[in-house]
Amino acid sequence: MEPWLVSTLILAAYMLLTLVLGWVAGRQLEVDIEDFFLYGRKAGFLVLYLAVVATYHSAFAFLGAPAYFYRHGLGFLDAGCWTLLVGILTIVYAPRIHQLGRAFRCLTPADLFAAYFRHPAVRPVIALLCMAFSVFYIQVQSMGLGYILTSISGGRIPFPLAVGILLGVAAVYVMTGGLRAVYWTDVLQGVWMYAAVWLGAGYILFTQFDSIPAFWREVAAKSPAHLTLPGPENFFTYPMWFSFLIIFSMGVFLQPHIFIRFYTARNSRMLRKMGATTPLYLTSLYIPICFVGLAGVVLVDRLATPPASADMIFPALLTEFAPVWLTGLVLAGAAAASMSTMDAILHVNSLVFTQDIYQHYISPGRSNAHYIAVGRAVIFVLLVISFFLSIYEPKFLVHLVALSSSGALLLWPGVQEILYPGSLGLGPRSLLAGIAAGLAVLLIALFWGLTPLGFHAGIWATAVNFAVAAVAARVLGDRRSVHIRAFRDALRAET
């Protein structure tokens, strides 16, 4: 049997396993919106833990992160800092999101904003913002899946077909089993991807280098700039390092597919434990990824076929130096990383459209079965959109994640005001003014490629958002329209 076929069959077996899990989850599904979209708000610690960490690490971790270490060096160890910060954010914010979500029966981020600010424009603005910027995250995952299957088949499966196959698998099990299927497959994917990245990195490191000290010596000899800031391409300046720290911690934390995870927890105490332990998984995953990216710096000249892009350095190293069965197992882990985020984004966008747009403005008062059917139809539409988005290939997957997370950061002032009621003194008009100003700055900076003082556009957009919202709150005086007391009372009730 040809080597590429062995690796492809291993990946196919993994895909089949996820479909079986989705089918089993679907058999337990109740005709209930909360059960389909929020796992009945009864996710236990282990399931939720693996669902969150698997969703957090995506094609970004398996393909984009090695590419950044390969191109920019140790500056990308910034990842170790922002993943630690995610644990702190989970402890500080997640239990409050859970408590308020349960108290006000929220399904989406827009539900929570609408319950607090009580203004007709708030729900559609937040819903459209969530959907618009998560599209870029969908693009990252669909492209990652295409890269993986094309690479593992030695180019025999064309990129568009590869994307279509793997997107179809993810869409089928999400449509079949809802969030239960997403969580069950995420448990498998979370374990598989973690083991796979350590296994693949360890094999490359210990078969191609005499020792770990020898590895560092070879990297230093080949490109000493990879071991210092700002790196060989002068990318990781201190302002950009800080920008990545904020964008990839708070920005990803506020992504809707992460946000609603906290609604589904069995209780809020569990989320504090999760915040204390998630950095163990998230941070430690970047250790082998760092080795892979820097190994690529040394080994790229030995590759029979150089990678078509930096995002393909990990698959290229595996294809050249690892046995086919190992390549199949590791790239199945890469597919797991992509699918564990893709399924979450497909699911949450289906939920946001169904709950915040369709149910409120298009067809209110219909049955649960009707809304679940609409949610499944939306997943199919998103599948088609994802496919066509994947045809456009940007320079780096990491850039798309930064853009998506910069959009999510526009929610930050509102989230702070809601979770700590009255802390910023915002009302609905000041909230919307801040979002509008921040969005304008983000789009202008991205369009013109502006990074004033070296900071990413997302940081400037966030700063302007906070500043305009604070000034507008003082000028407009619309704080009286929010419901501070009810939210404070809900937060006092421990769940």
Side-chain angles (χ1 to χ4, degrees):
M1 187 178 295
E2 292 190 38
W4 72 269
L5 188 56
V6 174
S7 299
T8 305
L9 288 175
I10 292 173
L11 181 58
Y14 167 77
M15 296 294 132
L16 180 61
L17 184 56
T18 61
L19 288 173
V20 170
L21 283 174
W23 176 76
V24 173
R27 288 179 62 85
Q28 298 191 20
L29 183 68
E30 299 175 12
V31 184
D32 178 78
I33 289 180
E34 285 200 356
D35 190 62
F36 184 80
F37 286 120
L38 291 185
Y39 198 64
R41 300 183 193 268
K42 55 188 178 185
F45 177 80
L46 182 60
V47 169
L48 186 59
Y49 179 90
L50 288 170
V52 168
V53 296
T55 301
Y56 199 94
H57 281 321
S58 61
F60 169 90
F62 251 90
L63 301 177
Y68 254 55
F69 280 114
Y70 172 64
R71 290 294 300 269
H72 302 297
L74 285 181
F76 201 67
L77 281 178
D78 193 3
C81 298
W82 75 60
T83 48
L84 288 173
L85 189 52
V86 165
I88 297 172
L89 293 172
T90 302
I91 293 171
V92 172
Y93 284 132
R96 289 173 174 258
I97 294 172
H98 168 80
Q99 287 174 250
L100 294 174
R102 185 177 290 271
F104 295 96
R105 310 309 298 173
C106 299
L107 297 179
T108 67
D111 277 339
L112 190 59
F113 275 77
Y116 186 83
F117 289 103
R118 302 292 178 94
H119 188 282
V122 169
R123 179 185 295 276
V125 167
I126 300 302
L128 292 173
L129 193 65
C130 289
M131 295 179 68
F133 280 94
S134 66
V135 163
F136 299 107
Y137 229 122
I138 293 176
Q139 187 179 1
V140 171
Q141 310 319 317
S142 59
M143 288 175 59
L145 291 170
Y147 285 157
I148 292 161
L149 188 50
T150 300
S151 174
I152 209 171
S153 67
R156 292 169 179 84
I157 299 178
F159 181 79
L161 179 59
V163 171
I165 292 171
L166 296 181
L167 281 178
V169 170
V172 166
Y173 70 70
V174 176
M175 292 170 68
T176 302
L179 192 60
R180 178 176 280 104
V182 172
Y183 275 12
W184 286 13
T185 53
D186 280 357
V187 169
L188 168 68
Q189 290 159 349
V191 173
W192 195 312
M193 77 170 77
Y194 190 86
V197 73
W198 276 96
L199 187 62
Y203 185 89
I204 292 169
L205 184 63
F206 290 108
T207 60
Q208 302 305 311
F209 299 91
D210 294 335
S211 64
I212 292 179
F215 163 82
W216 290 111
R217 285 194 296 270
E218 289 197 45
V219 174
K222 183 70 176 288
S223 179
H226 274 79
L227 304 181
T228 61
L229 292 178
E233 298 183 17
N234 203 38
F235 181 82
F236 274 108
T237 59
Y238 291 118
M240 190 57 67
W241 197 91
F242 173 79
S243 299
F244 271 46
L245 177 66
I246 301 302
I247 289 170
F248 289 118
S249 59
M250 194 65 179
V252 176
F253 182 86
L254 292 177
Q255 290 275 0
H257 63 276
I258 298 292
F259 196 96
I260 72 158
R261 292 288 191 264
F262 307 128
Y263 288 161
T264 69
R266 191 171 293 159
N267 57 64
S268 58
R269 294 182 298 276
M270 185 178 78
L271 292 173
R272 295 187 182 92
K273 296 177 184 177
M274 196 170 77
T277 53
T278 49
L280 297 174
Y281 182 110
L282 297 178
T283 305
S284 62
L285 195 73
Y286 282 100
I287 297 172
I289 287 171
C290 173
F291 281 116
V292 168
L294 294 180
V297 175
V298 176
L299 300 174
V300 66
D301 294 335
R302 305 180 203 171
L303 297 177
T305 305
S309 70
D311 288 319
M312 292 296 290
I313 189 64
F314 196 5
L317 292 174
L318 289 169
T319 302
E320 183 73 25
F321 300 116
V324 292
W325 61 268
L326 180 60
T327 300
L329 288 174
V330 175
L331 291 184
S338 295
M339 293 182 70
S340 62
T341 305
M342 168 63 76
D343 56 21
I345 300 170
L346 289 173
H347 169 267
V348 78
N349 276 280
S350 166
L351 168 59
V352 168
F353 179 84
T354 303
Q355 170 73 3
D356 294 322
I357 305 299
Y358 185 83
Q359 185 173 354
H360 276 83
Y361 302 107
I362 299 175
S363 186
R366 303 294 293 269
S367 67
N368 283 345
H370 176 79
Y371 291 127
I372 290 173
V374 170
R376 286 172 169 152
V378 172
I379 291 170
F380 178 77
V381 172
L382 289 170
L383 171 68
V384 175
I385 293 173
S386 301
F387 175 81
F388 285 105
L389 281 174
S390 69
I391 303 304
Y392 167 72
E393 300 184 46
K395 192 173 181 181
F396 291 116
L397 295 180
V398 172
H399 290 173
L400 284 177
V401 179
L403 174 58
S404 179
S405 299
S406 295
L409 277 173
L410 295 172
L411 303 177
W412 192 356
V415 169
Q416 177 66 33
E417 170 69 24
I418 293 168
L419 301 184
Y420 291 87
S423 58
L424 299 182
L426 302 185
R429 290 182 294 169
S430 50
L431 168 79
L432 295 174
I435 290 175
L439 180 60
V441 168
L442 179 61
L443 295 179
I444 291 171
L446 290 172
F447 181 80
W448 292 103
L450 303 176
T451 55
L453 301 179
F455 291 97
H456 189 277
I459 298 300
W460 287 108
T462 302
V464 169
N465 186 1
F466 269 100
V468 170
V471 171
R474 304 302 178 267
V475 173
L476 298 175
D478 61 346
R479 178 178 177 178
R480 62 185 180 276
S481 62
V482 303
H483 295 261
I484 295 176
R485 179 172 295 180
F487 273 65
R488 286 177 177 168
D489 290 342
L491 288 169
R492 293 191 187 101
E494 182 78 7
T495 60

